[in-house]
Amino acid sequence: MAKIDIKINGKGYLETIDDNILLVDFLREKIGLTGTHVGCDTSQCGACVVHVNGDSVKSCTTLAMQVNGKDITTIEGLSEGDNLHPIQKAFQNNHALQCGFCTPGLVMSAVDLLQKNKNPSEDEIREWFEGHICRCTGYKNIIKAVQEAIA
Ligand code: FES
Ligand code: FES
C-alpha cells in the first residue's frame, strides 16, 4: 500500500492505494470518475486518455503511484458546469460520435493538441490521433470537429 497526494479536476485527494493500481482504475473505482473509459487495456485505443500536468496520458498504462504529487484532469473537469469546453461543443455540433465510448479520450487528446499547436493541419490532427481507435464514426467528423474548434 502507498499514500498519494494528488489533485484531480482542481480538488485535492490524499488516498491510500495498492502499489499496482492503474490510474484508470483508481479514477473510476476509487474516485468514481467513470467518464474515463477502458477500451483495450493495452495502450491501443486511447479511450482512457487523461491529462497529467496538462499532457495527455493513457491512464490504462500508468500506475496511480506514478502521478503522485501531480495535477490530473479528466473529462469531468473540462466543462465549467453546464458550459461545455469548445472542443466538446465542436464534437456535439459535428456529430463526431456515435456510441461515444472513444469520445472522452479523443476530446482530452484534442485539447492537448490545441494547447501545443494552435493551428494544426488535417494531417497533423490525423497523426496526433494515431493512438486512438473509434469503432463507429470513421473519423471524418472527429477531424471536422477539431477543425471547427480551431476556427
Ligand atoms: S484503454 Fe487505454 S489505450 Fe485503450
Ligand atoms: S463513437 Fe463509438 S467508438 Fe467512437
Side-chain angles (χ1 to χ4, degrees):
M1 301 295 273
K3 275 206 184 331
I4 54 169
D5 183 358
I6 58 175
K7 209 179 249 187
I8 305 172
N9 300 331
K11 185 175 167 197
Y13 291 85
L14 190 57
E15 298 283 336
T16 303
I17 57 163
D18 288 333
D19 297 349
N20 60 355
I21 190 169
L22 293 169
L23 178 56
V24 68
D25 294 332
F26 171 72
L27 291 170
R28 290 177 56 86
E29 290 163 23
K30 192 130 180 156
I31 308 298
L33 294 171
T34 54
T36 303
H37 293 162
V38 185
C40 67
D41 226 354
T42 49
S43 207
Q44 295 173 66
C45 75
C48 63
V49 168
V50 299
H51 292 179
V52 177
N53 285 354
D55 293 321
S56 48
V57 163
K58 287 181 173 172
S59 61
C60 76
T61 40
T62 304
L63 291 171
M65 272 183 59
Q66 290 176 281
V67 302
N68 190 15
K70 299 192 174 161
D71 213 328
I72 315 299
T73 307
T74 69
I75 191 72
E76 289 90 343
L78 218 53
S79 59
E80 286 175 15
D82 289 340
N83 290 330
L84 293 178
H85 185 282
I87 294 199
Q88 291 175 303
K89 261 242 158 308
F91 267 64
Q92 189 180 50
N93 293 344
N94 289 279
H95 305 287
L97 59 128
Q98 287 182 38
C99 79
F101 197 84
C102 66
T103 311
L106 279 162
V107 167
M108 296 308 287
S109 205
V111 171
D112 187 22
L113 169 64
L114 298 193
Q115 276 165 3
K116 293 182 162 82
N117 180 356
K118 295 265 176 278
N119 194 17
S121 65
E122 181 174 339
D123 283 350
E124 286 172 325
I125 299 168
R126 287 184 182 276
E127 201 175 324
W128 185 262
F129 285 149
E130 209 176 30
H132 291 265
I133 296 171
C134 173
R135 293 154 181 87
C136 307
T137 66
Y139 304 99
K140 198 172 165 213
N141 288 4
I142 293 170
I143 306 300
K144 266 172 62 185
V146 177
Q147 288 171 324
E148 181 187 291
I150 295 165

